Amino acid sequence: MARIIGIDFGTTNSVISTIDNGKPVVIPNSSGDTLTPSAVAFQKNGDVLIGRTAKNQAVINSERTFLSIKRHMGADFRARLDGVSYSSQMIAAMIMRRLKQDAEKYLGETVEHAVITVPAYFSDAQRQAVKDAGKLSGLNVLRIINEPTAAALSYGIRSEGSELIAVFDLGGGTYDISILEVCDGVVEVKATSGNNHLGGDDFDSVLIEYIAKDFQRKNNIDLTKDRMALQKLREDAEKAKIMLSEASEISISIPFITADNTGPKHLDITINREVFEKLVAPLLEKLIAPAKQALEDAGLMPEQIDRVLLVGGSTRIPAVQQAIEQFMGKPVSKSVNPVECVATGAAIQAGILAGEIKDLILVDITPMTLGIETEGNRFIPIIKRNTSIPCSDFKTFTTISDNQRVVEVHILQGESDRASANISLGKFQLSGVRQAPRGEPRIEVTFSIDANGIVSVAAVDLDTNHSQAITIKEMNRPTDSQLETQGLFIERKLG
């Protein structure tokens, strides 16, 4: 098989990797950096900037610059620029295409295949969107793999014996906790939980709010109402957060951040680590509930975990490490690079698929329960969360009205008993049901989840053998022909 790359598509930064002589290697981008900012900027002359150059000009081009697009994957996101409507998939695809080009330049060969990572707690719609972005970038996405699982693979390739591992993955936009067992070349995921709306961006936002309020108190100007000033503040707040992981106190100085009728205004503020940790305390508390859930689902107590791995740049924050160590009752391990291990794990999975790595096996799980809606807003589970994938299961249902000829199947993902409280993945209708009194027909609904965690559903009337089947596609997912058209557009746009 041709070369397969591993892509850690991150909220803040993305990383690419490959297998070289049986070992994972991180590939530098064209600037020689291993981290490529997940940023896309559209210039008025039609050029598209990606990565560091896009992020660097965000202050002066904030309305045409897209950061943290990963947080919009699977959502109804649209940005209209210069007469073109861009979806989150299209913007993400531009980042992935640049990663593909950087890999080809480094390797000196064409790259056609990839393994791409996603947060473990991503929904089916979000996974589909990432896979679509990969296709739009010109890549054949062989596998979608969960980020904590990729990190465990990166650790497991060097591990001997048997260990229970907790992987805490706190990136720029998402948080996952996975419990895994590594034993004699088998990496088995036991349970996972998480929060798709918790990450480094939220730590930045807390700091931005604090600084903006201080500035408003001193100058009676709200910086959050000024797009350019806010972008300047966002960049310096991110830098301050990173610096506070090393220094106990930092100063932020932004001259000419804004102006009023009295003249230009300068921002100067000093923040110490103690203040920062008080500000982010509510975010630190949000780390614990998913960790408790994952351990409970795995049937384990914190003291039974042998090793705690940290993944994602936000785990470098000392307060994050302290919160995790306090909950787990043991020090965190620093045996893997928190920023690169997800990408190297993706490369290891690529190596397994290509047959280059033969002594490692991965057993992953589905992160959320899948089922259908029934009468009275009830949610009936068919595949429970933390079931090993690929998998398939079914349940038999019946009609609710006499002589009912059509049955609507509403597919949901979540943990609530109430259908309306869960994530709707899609609907389809099974027609041609045998006319009979209600409760008599037998409708078998089968759910299947592939190795990428993507769902297919089939329904069949067991009396007439009429059937209907779909692979779940959220309402806003493009068709195959639309994907082809958008992919050609991106290829022309980026070259």
Side-chain angles (χ1 to χ4, degrees):
M1 179 178 285
R3 176 85 67 164
I4 310 171
I5 59 171
I7 296 178
D8 171 11
F9 171 55
T11 304
T12 308
N13 296 293
S14 294
V15 184
I16 41 177
S17 60
T18 191
I19 294 295
D20 187 17
N21 293 322
K23 294 182 180 180
V25 175
V26 174
I27 298 173
N29 59 27
S30 56
S31 301
D33 300 320
T34 56
L35 298 182
T36 299
S38 300
V40 177
F42 296 86
Q43 296 189 302
K44 291 182 179 179
N45 66 0
D47 290 345
V48 180
L49 303 178
I50 297 168
R52 182 67 57 191
T53 54
K55 187 173 183 179
N56 287 346
Q57 57 79 72
V59 169
I60 60 173
N61 190 27
S62 59
E63 293 185 3
R64 299 169 68 89
T65 301
F66 296 90
L67 307 170
S68 302
I69 195 66
K70 183 176 176 181
R71 280 197 155 181
H72 298 287
M73 301 305 288
D76 186 15
F77 173 90
R78 288 283 166 181
R80 191 163 188 84
L81 292 172
D82 307 321
V84 179
S85 179
Y86 293 93
S87 64
S88 58
Q89 292 100 312
M90 292 175 71
I91 295 171
M94 292 182 175
I95 298 168
M96 293 182 193
R97 185 167 181 83
R98 178 55 50 85
L99 297 173
K100 175 181 183 291
Q101 291 170 337
D102 286 342
E104 289 175 337
K105 183 177 180 180
Y106 177 83
L107 296 169
E109 60 183 274
T110 301
V111 172
E112 297 178 351
H113 309 290
V115 171
I116 303 177
T117 63
V118 296
Y121 222 58
F122 253 25
S123 69
D124 186 81
Q126 291 169 307
R127 290 168 189 270
Q128 287 275 17
V130 170
K131 192 172 184 182
D132 286 345
K135 184 174 182 179
L136 287 173
S137 74
L139 289 166
N140 175 26
V141 183
L142 297 178
R143 186 67 52 87
I144 297 291
I145 180 175
N146 293 331
E147 290 164 6
T149 306
L153 275 177
S154 185
Y155 172 77
I157 200 170
R158 303 188 300 272
S159 176
E160 295 181 0
S162 177
E163 283 187 297
L164 287 168
I165 301 172
V167 180
F168 287 80
D169 183 356
L170 184 64
T174 58
Y175 166 59
D176 293 313
I177 161 70
S178 291
I179 310 299
L180 308 97
E181 183 174 12
V182 179
C183 180
D184 297 329
V186 178
V187 177
E188 182 179 0
V189 185
K190 297 291 187 182
T192 193
S193 187
N195 183 340
N196 283 341
H197 303 284
L198 177 64
D201 285 357
D202 301 290
F203 287 75
D204 295 346
S205 295
V206 168
L207 204 48
I208 290 166
E209 182 181 1
Y210 174 79
I211 298 168
K213 283 182 177 178
D214 179 79
F215 188 87
Q216 187 169 20
R217 179 177 55 81
K218 294 174 181 176
N219 299 279
N220 198 31
I221 298 174
D222 185 357
L223 294 177
T224 64
K225 304 298 184 183
D226 181 334
R227 287 181 67 98
M228 187 175 290
L230 181 59
Q231 183 58 38
K232 289 180 185 176
L233 182 53
R234 180 173 287 112
E235 290 184 2
D236 279 66
E238 182 186 2
K239 292 174 185 175
K241 175 192 69 177
I242 293 169
M243 291 170 64
L244 282 169
S245 292
E246 301 293 337
S248 59
E249 185 176 276
I250 58 96
S251 295
I252 299 176
S253 178
I254 310 177
F256 307 104
I257 189 169
T258 191
D260 62 9
N261 54 13
T262 65
K265 301 296 178 183
H266 314 298
L267 185 150
D268 286 290
I269 188 172
T270 298
I271 302 172
N272 61 44
R273 188 183 291 177
E274 183 180 358
V275 168
F276 175 66
E277 290 180 353
K278 285 181 180 177
L279 291 172
V280 301
L283 299 176
L284 298 175
E285 291 176 6
K286 292 182 179 181
L287 299 172
I288 305 306
K292 287 181 177 177
Q293 185 66 66
L295 284 165
E296 181 182 329
D297 288 348
L300 296 169
M301 300 294 289
E303 56 267 26
Q304 292 175 274
I305 299 298
D306 299 305
R307 191 176 298 269
V308 179
L309 298 182
L310 300 184
V311 179
S314 298
T315 60
R316 288 175 166 169
I317 299 171
V320 169
Q321 296 182 11
Q322 291 163 12
I324 293 171
E325 288 180 342
Q326 184 175 358
F327 172 71
M328 296 300 295
K330 54 176 58 68
V332 298
S333 171
K334 298 184 179 178
S335 58
V336 296
N337 183 313
V339 177
E340 296 180 356
C341 65
V342 171
T344 57
I348 291 166
Q349 176 63 56
I352 294 171
L353 294 175
E356 296 177 69
I357 297 175
K358 301 181 184 297
D359 55 353
L360 204 58
I361 298 171
L362 171 63
V363 181
D364 214 337
I365 60 173
T366 181
M368 288 185 266
T369 298
L370 291 149
I372 69 169
E373 179 181 3
T374 61
E375 189 179 18
N377 192 33
R378 291 177 61 210
F379 175 62
I380 304 299
I382 294 181
I383 294 179
K384 296 287 186 71
R385 71 173 186 268
N386 298 322
T387 299
S388 296
I389 58 174
C391 63
S392 180
D393 206 349
F394 67 91
K395 273 189 169 63
T396 303
F397 300 89
T398 190
T399 53
I400 59 173
S401 304
D402 292 338
N403 300 315
Q404 184 176 339
R405 298 302 308 272
V406 178
V407 172
E408 183 175 79
V409 180
H410 184 195
I411 303 108
L412 299 156
Q413 187 172 37
E415 310 307 325
S416 176
D417 292 336
R418 294 184 301 112
S420 58
N422 293 319
I423 301 168
S424 175
L425 298 184
K427 299 178 181 179
F428 69 93
Q429 291 186 332
L430 173 66
S431 58
V433 176
R434 177 174 65 89
Q435 286 186 295
R438 64 178 182 175
E440 188 176 309
R442 297 172 300 150
I443 311 297
E444 185 178 276
V445 178
T446 301
F447 275 61
S448 299
I449 308 177
D450 67 14
N452 299 305
I454 292 173
V455 183
S456 299
V457 182
V460 59
D461 179 350
L462 295 177
D463 297 320
T464 66
N465 283 328
H466 278 117
S467 63
Q468 182 66 266
I470 63 167
T471 298
I472 301 304
K473 298 181 181 181
E474 77 277 12
M475 295 294 292
N476 301 300
R477 183 170 181 256
T479 64
D480 289 341
S481 61
Q482 288 173 327
L483 283 173
E484 184 176 352
T485 300
Q486 291 172 7
L488 290 171
F489 171 80
I490 290 170
E491 185 177 355
R492 290 195 302 270
K493 194 80 173 171
L494 301 184

